[in-house]
Amino acid sequence: MYEVAALEGAGPLQRLRNVTLPMISPVILFNVILSLVLSIQYFTQAQVIETPAGSPGSSTLFFVIY
């Protein structure tokens, strides 16, 4: 596909935008969804650990709680 795009006169940025990104977009979508699910799982663990927020004395406030 890169060779065809080069023969058609596409420059490097056009090849990146019109060939590379559409080919890797399913991988990008999969990684975004997987990261979202994992971050939600991490947030729920932090939320369950600290029943009253930050007890005792804000020592258990995690980054995701901020």
Side-chain angles (χ1 to χ4, degrees):
M1 293 184 77
Y2 290 112
E3 188 175 348
V4 171
L7 288 174
E8 292 289 328
L13 291 176
Q14 289 174 333
R15 282 184 287 197
L16 176 71
R17 194 181 91 219
N18 295 323
V19 177
T20 305
L21 289 179
M23 289 176 66
I24 64 171
S25 63
V27 175
I28 294 171
L29 177 65
F30 176 76
N31 283 329
V32 166
I33 292 173
L34 191 63
S35 298
L36 181 67
V37 168
L38 292 175
S39 66
I40 289 172
Q41 287 177 348
Y42 182 71
F43 178 77
T44 56
Q45 288 176 358
Q47 193 69 25
V48 167
I49 287 174
E50 60 174 49
T51 305
S55 64
S58 299
S59 63
T60 59
L61 284 178
F62 295 104
F63 179 72
V64 293
I65 301 299
Y66 285 118

